[in-house]
């Protein structure tokens, strides 16, 4: 009982300290709102099961953010694929090769932490370069030996929080053949990019040479989605099908050759790039990608005042535009165009 009282007193002190913090600080203001949301649950007579869901998700995400925070500056690639892929499957070998190549090129690898393709990716990358975001299931999902008991392994109860982490912390995604879970993760990533809910990242669909998993899925896209107008032709640029670890790594690295990142500032999209474009290239950009504009033109600018919180990239040139949010597939094509310009600079 004494420990409980001490803990309660400490929580009260922390809340009082929070409440004296300035509302001009975004983090403090948001934390105050979160406390208000929690208190508000009492007035709603919220079911215990609903409170349990919120509590569990918040607790697990808080821990996960802490785990990933110290590796924030490292680029990471999430590897998805079937937990049922056996060790003698060519795709298992390929996933291990991919993990190894990525770690050699300075990337860390994130998997679901389970067996099959996930284990192969962790084995290839090695323990020091691996994360595991494990989902607790009654079968099939015990942590693999490579990541078990590692400080970079987190356990989650809900798929929604697991997928949030796998996308939020990734700079690229590699998809291997798999079942419902793999396809769920694949379409989650593609939907988030296609709708602008997450920034563009390279997505590679990879399998061993001679495989037809992705070929048949592409045929489905063509015959059922494109033909019915459910997706745009440019949406197919959001991912690339490859058949070797070398091709996958090349696609991921090429994505960041000129393109760095983007940010929305008021009503403008700001694309940060590693190299300034020439006048001729700017003219070509405005001509070839005019459909990305709601009005005006692409402009080459310096860092905006609103980007003050990212001083480490303030030196990078910027492209600013009023973006047509219906054209996320074309935005990816524009990024590919920018990266190809590195050959001419």
């Amino acid at each position: 009982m004494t420990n409980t009282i001490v803990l309660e007193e400490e929580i009260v002190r922390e809340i009082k300290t929070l409440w004296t913090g300035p509302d001009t600080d975004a983090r403090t203001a948001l934390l105050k709102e979160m406390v208000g949301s929690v208190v508000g649950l009492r007035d709603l007579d919220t079911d215990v099961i609903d409170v349990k869901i919120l509590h569990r998700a918040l607790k697990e995400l808080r821990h996960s953010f802490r785990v990933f925070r110290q590796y924030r500056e490292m680029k990471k690639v999430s590897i998805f694929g079937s937990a049922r892929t056996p060790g003698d499957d060519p795709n298992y070998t390929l996933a291990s090769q991919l993990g190894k190549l990525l770690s050699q090129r300075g990337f860390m690898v994130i998997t679901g932490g389970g067996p099959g393709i996930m284990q192969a990716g962790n084995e290839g990358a090695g323990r020091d370069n691996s994360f595991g975001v494990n989902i607790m299931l009654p079968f099939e999902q015990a942590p693999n030996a490579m990541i078990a008991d590692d400080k970079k392994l987190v356990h989650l109860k809900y798929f929604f929080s697991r997928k949030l982490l796998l996308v939020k912390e990734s700079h690229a995604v590699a998809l291997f053949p798999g079942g419902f879970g793999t396809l769920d993760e694949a379409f989650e990533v593609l939907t988030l990019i296609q709708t602008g809910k997450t920034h563009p990242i390279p997505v590679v669909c990879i399998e061993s040479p001679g495989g037809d998993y992705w070929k048949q899925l592409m045929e489905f896209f063509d015959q059922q989605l494109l033909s019915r107008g459910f997706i745009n032709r440019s949406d197919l640029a959001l991912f690339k099908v490859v058949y070797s670890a070398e091709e996958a790594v090349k696609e991921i690295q090429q994505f960041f050759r000129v393109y760095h990142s983007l940010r929305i500032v008021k009503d403008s999209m700001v694309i940060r790039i590693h190299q300034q474009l020439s006048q001729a290239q700017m003219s070509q950009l405005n001509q070839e990608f005019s459909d990305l504009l709601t009005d005006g033109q692409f402009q080459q600018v310096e860092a905006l005042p609103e980007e003050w919180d990212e001083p480490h990239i303030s030196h990078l040139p910027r492209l600013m535009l009023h973006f047509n949010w219906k054209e996320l597939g074309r935005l990816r094509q524009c990024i590919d165009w920018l990266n190809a310009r590195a050959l001419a600079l």
Side-chain angles (χ1 to χ4, degrees):
M1 178 64 95
T2 302
N3 289 339
T4 302
I5 294 174
V6 171
L7 179 60
E8 289 177 352
E9 291 175 348
E10 184 178 340
I11 291 173
V12 170
R13 284 197 301 271
E14 289 292 334
I15 292 176
K16 287 182 177 178
T17 301
L18 172 66
W19 238 253
T20 60
D23 286 335
T24 52
D25 176 62
R27 182 171 175 272
T28 299
L30 287 169
L31 288 172
K32 287 182 181 180
E33 285 190 31
M34 289 174 65
V35 173
S37 296
V38 171
V39 173
L41 291 172
R42 289 176 57 85
D43 298 334
L44 295 175
D45 193 25
T46 311
D47 290 341
V48 173
I49 186 64
D50 295 335
V51 175
K52 283 184 176 180
I53 291 172
L54 288 169
H55 174 257
R56 185 64 179 258
L58 181 59
K59 186 177 180 180
E60 291 177 344
L61 286 172
R62 182 188 64 184
H63 171 69
S64 300
F65 293 158
R66 185 183 299 118
V67 170
F68 277 98
R69 186 180 301 125
Q70 58 188 305
Y71 301 95
R72 185 173 293 164
E73 303 306 316
M74 299 289 293
K75 280 191 167 61
K76 307 170 196 70
V77 179
S78 282
I79 296 179
F80 300 124
S82 177
R84 305 182 187 187
T85 304
D88 59 355
D89 189 298
N91 283 315
Y92 189 103
T93 302
L94 184 58
S96 180
Q97 292 172 347
L98 177 60
K100 183 177 181 179
L101 269 182
L102 286 169
S103 66
Q104 290 174 346
R105 307 293 171 83
F107 291 90
M108 298 186 78
V109 164
I110 308 173
T111 78
I117 292 297
M118 294 173 281
Q119 179 170 326
N122 289 141
E123 285 178 352
R127 191 177 179 92
D128 290 344
N129 294 305
S130 288
F131 290 89
V133 184
N134 189 54
I135 188 75
M136 290 178 284
L137 297 176
F139 67 97
E140 207 176 59
Q141 200 65 26
N144 64 67
M146 179 57 63
I147 199 67
D149 301 320
D150 191 276
K151 64 179 181 178
K152 301 188 300 304
L153 171 68
V154 297
H155 299 276
L156 302 171
K157 183 174 183 178
Y158 303 115
F159 274 106
F160 74 85
S161 50
R162 181 182 188 235
K163 288 191 289 186
L164 184 151
L165 281 174
L166 287 167
V167 175
K168 173 185 177 294
E169 301 296 339
S170 296
H171 297 83
V173 167
L175 298 161
F176 283 81
F180 290 157
T182 300
L183 290 175
D184 176 43
E185 290 157 342
F187 287 119
E188 174 86 7
V189 171
L190 292 175
T191 299
L192 290 172
I193 299 174
Q194 185 206 39
T195 56
K197 297 301 287 185
T198 191
H199 290 174
I201 59 172
V203 177
V204 290
C205 302
I206 179 172
E207 65 180 314
S208 59
D212 64 354
Y213 183 94
W214 299 115
K215 178 177 179 292
Q216 291 196 23
L217 190 61
M218 287 291 294
E219 290 174 357
F220 173 80
F221 287 172
D222 186 61
Q223 295 169 13
Q224 298 298 330
L225 304 187
L226 276 172
S227 66
R228 297 169 188 258
F230 293 159
I231 62 173
N232 297 331
R233 173 67 63 179
S234 60
D235 290 332
L236 298 179
L238 298 177
F239 61 92
K240 183 176 181 179
V241 178
V242 300
Y243 295 93
S244 73
E246 290 79 9
E247 285 182 278
V249 173
K250 180 181 178 181
E251 172 70 6
I252 292 168
Q253 288 189 303
Q254 173 71 13
F255 185 86
F256 299 103
R257 189 168 190 175
V258 172
Y259 173 82
H260 180 277
S261 58
L262 65 80
R263 180 166 175 171
I264 306 304
V265 178
K266 296 180 180 177
D267 61 347
S268 297
M269 175 180 286
V270 179
I271 301 174
R272 284 79 78 98
I273 53 179
H274 289 292
Q275 296 171 299
Q276 196 165 16
L277 300 184
S278 67
Q279 264 190 320
Q281 289 169 336
M282 285 297 298
S283 296
Q284 188 180 359
L285 176 65
N286 275 298
Q287 182 177 353
E288 293 196 20
F289 294 97
S290 60
D291 54 328
L292 293 185
L293 306 167
T294 56
D295 59 71
Q297 291 187 319
F298 285 87
Q299 300 178 55
Q300 200 154 212
V301 299
E302 296 180 347
L304 303 181
E306 292 84 354
E307 298 177 273
W308 63 268
D309 55 339
E310 296 180 278
H312 59 292
I313 57 171
S314 61
H315 63 287
L316 294 178
R318 268 81 166 152
L319 298 170
M320 188 169 69
L321 66 150
H322 291 155
F323 181 62
N324 175 7
W325 284 98
K326 296 180 180 179
E327 294 292 348
L328 272 301
R330 284 286 286 156
L331 176 62
R332 172 56 203 265
Q333 291 177 329
C334 180
I335 290 172
D336 290 341
W337 184 92
L338 288 170
N339 288 325
R341 301 287 76 75
L343 302 176
L345 287 172

